[in-house]
Amino acid sequence: MATVLIVDDEESIRTLVEYNFSRAGFEVETVGDGKTAYEFIRSGTPSFDLVVLDLMLPGMDGMEVCRRLRQEGVDTPIILLTARDEEVDLVLGLELGADDYVTKPFSPRELVARARAVLRRSESPESDTKLAPSASKVLKAGNIVLDVSRHEVRIGGQLMEFTPKEFDLLQYFMENPEHVLSRDQLLDRVWGYSSATDTRIVDVHVSHLREKIEQDSKNPSYIRTVRGIGYKFSEGAPAT
């Protein structure tokens, strides 16, 4: 039975989320502020399989909790709860190592489904993201070289840092060059979601990929937007 920590300063939200996770078979603990959550998770007693973390918390906010935990090597999966007007915070939260996000107001059922998907990925990421067949491949496109077994990406010979999900997304793009890939398809194949109501997480990661692999992220050569559908990766991008 997985154990989840719910961190939110609104008691009504904690109660609602706790009820739905308990009904779904989870062990649930709740706290109302970031500092307590940080100390709780850091202590390792009890050990949590997942943290549902609100961004806007009194004292230490969710962003700082996430940043400190990842800096200290705590890799417990984290799902952010965020209001729709916190786009900048959302992007930063994903950069700091959060695994997913759900926007308020949210469906408790969707949150539980997202939690299960995140837990499946953390237990067996290769099978869930369906990337195992390429486990020994070195993929090349233009000046990009992606080594799956080493989990490394070089751009023009320079080793670059990518978050795990950025790496998975780039790998999937490079395995499917010149194919138009919808956001829903990317969510299914890279994130392991069979359905989702919010596809912004794809756009956020694509934006960060472009900043790292494109000469001009505003006029991309590799990852091109297909209006109304999704994205297409062009392996013939210039190698300069």
Side-chain angles (χ1 to χ4, degrees):
M1 181 182 297
T3 302
V4 58
L5 176 66
I6 311 299
V7 189
D8 199 294
D9 60 329
E10 295 185 44
E11 184 177 358
S12 59
I13 292 180
R14 293 199 306 272
T15 300
L16 175 66
V17 175
E18 179 181 13
Y19 172 75
N20 281 274
F21 271 94
S22 296
R23 284 194 64 188
F26 288 80
E27 293 262 358
V28 184
E29 296 278 354
T30 67
V31 297
D33 67 277
K35 189 174 186 301
T36 302
Y38 167 69
E39 297 294 346
F40 210 6
I41 299 164
R42 191 168 170 251
S43 71
T45 307
S47 175
F48 296 105
D49 299 295
L50 176 74
V51 178
V52 176
L53 179 65
D54 187 30
L55 276 179
M56 302 299 291
L57 294 168
M60 185 186 298
D61 64 20
M63 201 74 66
E64 182 66 10
V65 174
C66 187
R67 184 187 68 80
R68 291 194 185 188
L69 291 173
R70 294 305 188 236
Q71 280 186 342
E72 295 173 14
V74 178
D75 60 359
T76 304
I78 295 174
I79 296 178
L80 298 176
L81 294 181
T82 172
R84 289 189 179 273
D85 60 355
E86 295 168 354
E87 185 76 25
V88 174
D89 287 343
L90 166 62
V91 172
L92 183 55
L94 293 172
E95 278 288 283
L96 290 173
D99 296 84
D100 199 356
Y101 75 94
V102 173
T103 53
K104 296 179 179 179
F106 58 87
S107 159
R109 287 185 179 181
E110 179 186 356
L111 178 56
V112 171
R114 293 285 189 101
R116 284 177 168 151
V118 167
L119 287 171
R120 286 197 305 271
R121 293 200 305 272
S122 67
E123 291 167 0
S124 182
E126 287 185 329
S127 63
D128 203 52
T129 58
K130 308 178 182 73
L131 299 177
S134 297
S136 62
K137 285 186 180 178
V138 174
L139 304 173
K140 298 179 181 180
N143 65 351
I144 304 173
V145 178
L146 184 147
D147 188 321
V148 180
S149 60
R150 292 175 180 268
H151 211 270
E152 291 180 351
V153 179
R154 294 182 183 273
I155 310 293
Q158 180 180 356
L159 186 64
M160 303 287 288
E161 289 189 10
F162 289 77
T163 66
K165 197 50 62 185
E166 288 170 354
F167 184 94
D168 289 346
L169 182 58
L170 179 58
Q171 178 185 338
Y172 191 70
F173 273 132
M174 294 180 72
E175 289 176 337
N176 296 276
E178 308 302 338
H179 288 273
V180 177
L181 304 173
S182 71
R183 291 173 176 84
D184 285 338
Q185 182 179 354
L186 291 168
L187 282 170
D188 174 46
R189 304 293 290 186
V190 179
W191 276 264
Y193 297 150
S194 58
S195 63
T197 59
D198 191 340
T199 59
R200 284 189 303 164
I201 193 169
V202 175
D203 298 329
V204 168
H205 280 78
V206 167
S207 175
H208 284 295
L209 273 183
R210 284 172 168 165
E211 290 175 4
K212 294 178 179 181
I213 70 174
E214 303 282 1
Q215 291 183 357
D216 181 357
S217 62
K218 301 299 182 184
N219 296 288
S221 299
Y222 288 110
I223 305 175
R224 295 172 177 165
T225 301
V226 180
R227 189 177 298 275
I229 302 177
Y231 300 97
K232 180 170 72 171
F233 184 84
S234 176
E235 62 179 348
T240 57

Short mmCIF file of all heavy atoms in Angstrom, two decimals, residues 4-36:
data_model
loop_
_atom_site.label_atom_id
_atom_site.label_comp_id
_atom_site.label_asym_id
_atom_site.label_seq_id
_atom_site.Cartn_x
_atom_site.Cartn_y
_atom_site.Cartn_z
N VAL A 4 1.00 8.42 0.89
CA VAL A 4 1.07 9.74 0.27
C VAL A 4 0.97 10.82 1.34
O VAL A 4 0.21 10.70 2.30
CB VAL A 4 -0.05 9.91 -0.79
CG1 VAL A 4 -1.43 9.72 -0.18
CG2 VAL A 4 0.04 11.27 -1.48
N LEU A 5 1.77 11.88 1.17
CA LEU A 5 1.70 13.04 2.06
C LEU A 5 1.01 14.18 1.31
O LEU A 5 1.44 14.57 0.23
CB LEU A 5 3.10 13.48 2.48
CG LEU A 5 3.16 14.76 3.34
CD1 LEU A 5 2.49 14.53 4.69
CD2 LEU A 5 4.61 15.23 3.52
N ILE A 6 -0.06 14.72 1.89
CA ILE A 6 -0.79 15.83 1.31
C ILE A 6 -0.38 17.11 2.03
O ILE A 6 -0.50 17.20 3.25
CB ILE A 6 -2.32 15.65 1.45
CG1 ILE A 6 -2.75 14.25 0.98
CG2 ILE A 6 -3.06 16.75 0.73
CD1 ILE A 6 -2.45 13.96 -0.46
N VAL A 7 0.11 18.08 1.27
CA VAL A 7 0.58 19.33 1.87
C VAL A 7 -0.22 20.49 1.28
O VAL A 7 -0.05 20.85 0.11
CB VAL A 7 2.08 19.56 1.60
CG1 VAL A 7 2.58 20.76 2.42
CG2 VAL A 7 2.89 18.32 1.92
N ASP A 8 -1.10 21.07 2.09
CA ASP A 8 -1.91 22.20 1.64
C ASP A 8 -2.36 22.98 2.88
O ASP A 8 -2.69 22.36 3.91
CB ASP A 8 -3.13 21.73 0.84
CG ASP A 8 -3.72 22.84 -0.02
OD1 ASP A 8 -4.25 23.81 0.56
OD2 ASP A 8 -3.65 22.75 -1.25
N ASP A 9 -2.37 24.30 2.78
CA ASP A 9 -2.75 25.09 3.95
C ASP A 9 -4.26 25.23 4.10
O ASP A 9 -4.73 25.73 5.12
CB ASP A 9 -2.10 26.47 3.90
CG ASP A 9 -2.49 27.27 2.67
OD1 ASP A 9 -2.75 26.65 1.63
OD2 ASP A 9 -2.54 28.51 2.76
N GLU A 10 -5.03 24.79 3.11
CA GLU A 10 -6.49 24.84 3.21
C GLU A 10 -7.02 23.50 3.72
O GLU A 10 -6.88 22.47 3.05
CB GLU A 10 -7.11 25.16 1.85
CG GLU A 10 -6.76 26.55 1.33
CD GLU A 10 -7.50 26.87 0.04
OE1 GLU A 10 -8.72 26.59 -0.03
OE2 GLU A 10 -6.86 27.38 -0.88
N GLU A 11 -7.63 23.55 4.88
CA GLU A 11 -8.11 22.31 5.51
C GLU A 11 -9.13 21.59 4.64
O GLU A 11 -9.14 20.35 4.57
CB GLU A 11 -8.72 22.61 6.88
CG GLU A 11 -9.14 21.36 7.64
CD GLU A 11 -9.68 21.68 9.03
OE1 GLU A 11 -9.70 22.86 9.41
OE2 GLU A 11 -10.10 20.71 9.71
N SER A 12 -9.98 22.34 3.95
CA SER A 12 -11.01 21.71 3.12
C SER A 12 -10.38 20.90 1.99
O SER A 12 -10.87 19.82 1.64
CB SER A 12 -11.94 22.78 2.53
OG SER A 12 -11.22 23.71 1.75
N ILE A 13 -9.29 21.42 1.42
CA ILE A 13 -8.61 20.69 0.34
C ILE A 13 -7.91 19.46 0.90
O ILE A 13 -7.98 18.37 0.31
CB ILE A 13 -7.61 21.60 -0.39
CG1 ILE A 13 -8.38 22.67 -1.16
CG2 ILE A 13 -6.72 20.79 -1.33
CD1 ILE A 13 -7.50 23.64 -1.92
N ARG A 14 -7.26 19.61 2.06
CA ARG A 14 -6.61 18.44 2.67
C ARG A 14 -7.62 17.33 2.95
O ARG A 14 -7.37 16.16 2.67
CB ARG A 14 -5.91 18.83 3.98
CG ARG A 14 -4.73 19.75 3.82
CD ARG A 14 -3.83 19.73 5.05
NE ARG A 14 -4.51 20.00 6.28
CZ ARG A 14 -4.70 21.22 6.79
NH1 ARG A 14 -4.27 22.29 6.12
NH2 ARG A 14 -5.31 21.39 7.95
N THR A 15 -8.77 17.72 3.46
CA THR A 15 -9.81 16.74 3.79
C THR A 15 -10.32 16.05 2.53
O THR A 15 -10.48 14.82 2.49
CB THR A 15 -10.98 17.42 4.52
OG1 THR A 15 -10.50 18.03 5.72
CG2 THR A 15 -12.07 16.41 4.86
N LEU A 16 -10.59 16.84 1.48
CA LEU A 16 -11.09 16.28 0.23
C LEU A 16 -10.09 15.32 -0.39
O LEU A 16 -10.45 14.20 -0.80
CB LEU A 16 -11.38 17.42 -0.76
CG LEU A 16 -11.80 17.01 -2.18
CD1 LEU A 16 -13.15 16.31 -2.16
CD2 LEU A 16 -11.83 18.23 -3.10
N VAL A 17 -8.82 15.73 -0.46
CA VAL A 17 -7.80 14.89 -1.07
C VAL A 17 -7.54 13.65 -0.23
O VAL A 17 -7.41 12.54 -0.77
CB VAL A 17 -6.51 15.69 -1.29
CG1 VAL A 17 -5.40 14.80 -1.82
CG2 VAL A 17 -6.75 16.85 -2.26
N GLU A 18 -7.49 13.82 1.08
CA GLU A 18 -7.28 12.66 1.96
C GLU A 18 -8.39 11.63 1.78
O GLU A 18 -8.13 10.42 1.69
CB GLU A 18 -7.23 13.12 3.42
CG GLU A 18 -7.02 11.97 4.39
CD GLU A 18 -6.98 12.42 5.84
OE1 GLU A 18 -7.36 13.58 6.12
OE2 GLU A 18 -6.57 11.61 6.69
N TYR A 19 -9.62 12.08 1.71
CA TYR A 19 -10.76 11.18 1.54
C TYR A 19 -10.64 10.37 0.26
O TYR A 19 -10.82 9.14 0.26
CB TYR A 19 -12.05 12.00 1.54
CG TYR A 19 -13.29 11.20 1.19
CD1 TYR A 19 -13.87 10.32 2.12
CD2 TYR A 19 -13.88 11.32 -0.07
CE1 TYR A 19 -15.00 9.59 1.79
CE2 TYR A 19 -15.01 10.59 -0.40
CZ TYR A 19 -15.56 9.72 0.53
OH TYR A 19 -16.68 8.99 0.22
N ASN A 20 -10.31 11.04 -0.84
CA ASN A 20 -10.24 10.35 -2.13
C ASN A 20 -9.05 9.40 -2.22
O ASN A 20 -9.17 8.31 -2.79
CB ASN A 20 -10.20 11.37 -3.26
CG ASN A 20 -11.57 11.93 -3.58
OD1 ASN A 20 -12.32 11.37 -4.36
ND2 ASN A 20 -11.92 13.04 -2.94
N PHE A 21 -7.92 9.77 -1.66
CA PHE A 21 -6.78 8.87 -1.67
C PHE A 21 -7.03 7.67 -0.75
O PHE A 21 -6.64 6.54 -1.08
CB PHE A 21 -5.51 9.60 -1.26
CG PHE A 21 -4.78 10.23 -2.41
CD1 PHE A 21 -5.00 11.55 -2.75
CD2 PHE A 21 -3.87 9.50 -3.17
CE1 PHE A 21 -4.34 12.14 -3.83
CE2 PHE A 21 -3.20 10.06 -4.23
CZ PHE A 21 -3.43 11.39 -4.57
N SER A 22 -7.66 7.90 0.37
CA SER A 22 -7.97 6.79 1.29
C SER A 22 -8.92 5.80 0.63
O SER A 22 -8.74 4.58 0.73
CB SER A 22 -8.59 7.33 2.59
OG SER A 22 -7.67 8.12 3.29
N ARG A 23 -9.93 6.32 -0.05
CA ARG A 23 -10.87 5.45 -0.76
C ARG A 23 -10.18 4.64 -1.85
O ARG A 23 -10.60 3.52 -2.17
CB ARG A 23 -11.98 6.28 -1.40
CG ARG A 23 -13.03 6.78 -0.43
CD ARG A 23 -14.25 7.28 -1.17
NE ARG A 23 -14.91 6.21 -1.92
CZ ARG A 23 -15.92 6.41 -2.77
NH1 ARG A 23 -16.36 7.64 -3.01
NH2 ARG A 23 -16.47 5.41 -3.40
N ALA A 24 -9.11 5.22 -2.42
CA ALA A 24 -8.38 4.54 -3.49
C ALA A 24 -7.34 3.56 -2.95
O ALA A 24 -6.63 2.92 -3.73
CB ALA A 24 -7.69 5.57 -4.38
N GLY A 25 -7.27 3.42 -1.63
CA GLY A 25 -6.39 2.42 -1.04
C GLY A 25 -5.03 2.92 -0.60
O GLY A 25 -4.15 2.11 -0.29
N PHE A 26 -4.85 4.23 -0.53
CA PHE A 26 -3.59 4.80 -0.09
C PHE A 26 -3.58 5.01 1.43
O PHE A 26 -4.62 5.26 2.03
CB PHE A 26 -3.33 6.15 -0.75
CG PHE A 26 -2.99 6.09 -2.21
CD1 PHE A 26 -4.00 5.94 -3.17
CD2 PHE A 26 -1.68 6.20 -2.65
CE1 PHE A 26 -3.69 5.89 -4.52
CE2 PHE A 26 -1.36 6.16 -3.99
CZ PHE A 26 -2.37 6.00 -4.93
N GLU A 27 -2.39 4.92 2.02
CA GLU A 27 -2.17 5.43 3.38
C GLU A 27 -1.92 6.92 3.24
O GLU A 27 -1.13 7.33 2.38
CB GLU A 27 -0.96 4.76 4.01
CG GLU A 27 -1.14 3.29 4.29
CD GLU A 27 -1.53 3.04 5.73
OE1 GLU A 27 -1.63 4.02 6.50
OE2 GLU A 27 -1.74 1.88 6.08
N VAL A 28 -2.56 7.75 4.05
CA VAL A 28 -2.48 9.19 3.86
C VAL A 28 -2.07 9.91 5.14
O VAL A 28 -2.58 9.62 6.23
CB VAL A 28 -3.84 9.77 3.38
CG1 VAL A 28 -3.71 11.26 3.09
CG2 VAL A 28 -4.35 9.03 2.16
N GLU A 29 -1.12 10.85 5.00
CA GLU A 29 -0.77 11.80 6.05
C GLU A 29 -0.99 13.19 5.48
O GLU A 29 -0.82 13.41 4.27
CB GLU A 29 0.69 11.65 6.47
CG GLU A 29 1.04 10.32 7.09
CD GLU A 29 0.68 10.24 8.57
OE1 GLU A 29 0.24 11.28 9.12
OE2 GLU A 29 0.82 9.15 9.14
N THR A 30 -1.34 14.16 6.32
CA THR A 30 -1.55 15.52 5.85
C THR A 30 -0.83 16.51 6.76
O THR A 30 -0.72 16.29 7.97
CB THR A 30 -3.04 15.90 5.81
OG1 THR A 30 -3.57 15.96 7.13
CG2 THR A 30 -3.84 14.90 4.99
N VAL A 31 -0.32 17.59 6.17
CA VAL A 31 0.24 18.71 6.93
C VAL A 31 -0.20 20.00 6.25
O VAL A 31 -0.55 20.01 5.07
CB VAL A 31 1.78 18.66 7.04
CG1 VAL A 31 2.23 17.43 7.80
CG2 VAL A 31 2.43 18.71 5.67
N GLY A 32 -0.14 21.12 6.99
CA GLY A 32 -0.67 22.37 6.48
C GLY A 32 0.35 23.44 6.16
O GLY A 32 -0.03 24.54 5.78
N ASP A 33 1.65 23.14 6.30
CA ASP A 33 2.65 24.16 5.98
C ASP A 33 3.91 23.50 5.42
O ASP A 33 4.17 22.32 5.64
CB ASP A 33 3.00 25.01 7.21
CG ASP A 33 3.73 24.21 8.27
OD1 ASP A 33 3.06 23.52 9.07
OD2 ASP A 33 4.97 24.24 8.29
N GLY A 34 4.69 24.30 4.70
CA GLY A 34 5.84 23.77 3.99
C GLY A 34 6.97 23.31 4.89
O GLY A 34 7.60 22.28 4.62
N LYS A 35 7.26 24.07 5.94
CA LYS A 35 8.39 23.72 6.80
C LYS A 35 8.17 22.37 7.47
O LYS A 35 9.07 21.53 7.53
CB LYS A 35 8.61 24.80 7.87
CG LYS A 35 9.89 24.63 8.67
CD LYS A 35 10.11 25.81 9.59
CE LYS A 35 11.46 25.70 10.29
NZ LYS A 35 11.60 24.47 11.09
N THR A 36 6.95 22.16 7.98
CA THR A 36 6.64 20.88 8.61
C THR A 36 6.74 19.74 7.59
O THR A 36 7.29 18.68 7.88
CB THR A 36 5.22 20.90 9.20
OG1 THR A 36 5.13 21.95 10.15
CG2 THR A 36 4.90 19.57 9.88
#
